[in-house]
Amino acid sequence: MSVHTRKQREQAERERLIVATARELAEQQGWDAVTTRRLAERIEYSQPVLYSHFRGKREIIGAVALEGAAELAAAVRAATLGVTDPRARVTALARAYLDFAERHPAVYDAIFQLDGGLAFAQDDTPEQLKDAFAALLETLGEVAGDGVAPGLFTELFWASLHGIATLTRAGRQPREFAEQRIGLLVERLVVV
């Protein structure tokens, strides 16, 4: 192994450690607790080492968002894999999405609420974000209905799921009605 290859591998490992530590700290204490000083202390590197990988918290949030978007896409695809009934497939998608948002609130915030410096719905949107949307579109595009653009329908359904996730987490909607919300959303929006 060349020195250059080893250094690249070590740099990638440090970046993974920084992102994992930021994510862990954010999940435990919220994003306000994530500072470069605290990260440097936790991973036992100096702040200049952190800055050699990320220019600041915004870029770290962006890295967590990209990692989380890939995980969300995988969760949605896993939940819908092999489900042939269109309504059941959309229901599985909705459950997986809402479950991800509930189990990983800091990651969900990094993807959808916080400024991670990432472009959405643009030519320069990172592939992980495009793939997360594609994972939704794969199922939702099939049930958009005649004359409805699949992408537009996916955006509307996604916005509904995001609203449910956000309002439930904020205590604005009781958790015990989660299944009824999903059922109503699927019943009213899905055209089969």
Side-chain angles (χ1 to χ4, degrees):
M1 173 185 308
S2 72
V3 172
H4 179 70
T5 303
R6 181 182 53 79
K7 286 185 177 189
Q8 284 180 320
R9 189 184 74 236
E10 288 171 355
Q11 180 176 351
E13 288 172 9
R14 276 194 306 272
E15 286 181 8
R16 279 192 295 275
L17 178 61
I18 293 165
V19 171
T21 304
R23 182 176 174 163
E24 179 183 323
L25 187 57
E27 291 290 5
Q28 291 171 353
Q29 300 176 31
W31 279 104
D32 288 341
V34 178
T35 64
T36 54
R37 191 185 80 217
R38 288 184 84 186
L39 286 173
E41 289 170 1
R42 280 202 174 198
I43 64 173
E44 298 178 346
Y45 284 110
S46 67
Q47 285 183 335
V49 170
L50 259 81
Y51 286 117
S52 72
H53 293 280
F54 299 98
R55 285 180 286 195
K57 183 175 175 177
R58 181 179 188 220
E59 283 190 5
I60 293 169
I61 289 170
V64 170
L66 294 178
E67 186 177 273
E71 292 170 9
L72 176 59
V76 166
R77 286 187 175 114
T80 58
L81 185 67
V83 181
T84 56
D85 177 73
R87 286 184 189 269
R89 188 172 158 96
V90 173
T91 299
L93 176 146
R95 284 182 183 139
Y97 183 97
L98 295 173
D99 181 60
F100 181 89
E102 186 171 332
R103 285 187 300 111
H104 307 288
V107 174
Y108 188 84
D109 285 350
I111 302 168
F112 299 115
Q113 303 284 93
L114 301 174
D115 179 9
L118 305 173
F120 280 79
Q122 298 175 22
D123 291 337
D124 61 341
T125 298
E127 287 306 313
Q128 296 92 324
L129 297 178
K130 288 179 182 178
D131 189 53
F133 185 79
L136 299 174
L137 181 63
E138 289 162 11
T139 292
L140 296 170
E142 297 173 357
V143 296
D146 293 336
V148 178
L152 186 60
F153 179 78
T154 300
E155 288 175 354
L156 175 65
F157 202 93
W158 169 34
S160 299
L161 291 175
H162 177 70
I164 292 169
T166 303
L167 292 170
T168 301
R169 192 164 120 209
R172 304 290 196 272
Q173 294 180 338
R175 290 185 193 284
E176 62 265 19
F177 297 113
E179 280 301 311
Q180 289 96 322
R181 284 186 202 98
I182 292 170
L184 187 58
L185 187 63
V186 171
E187 177 186 319
R188 298 296 179 170
L189 291 182
V190 172
V191 177
V192 195

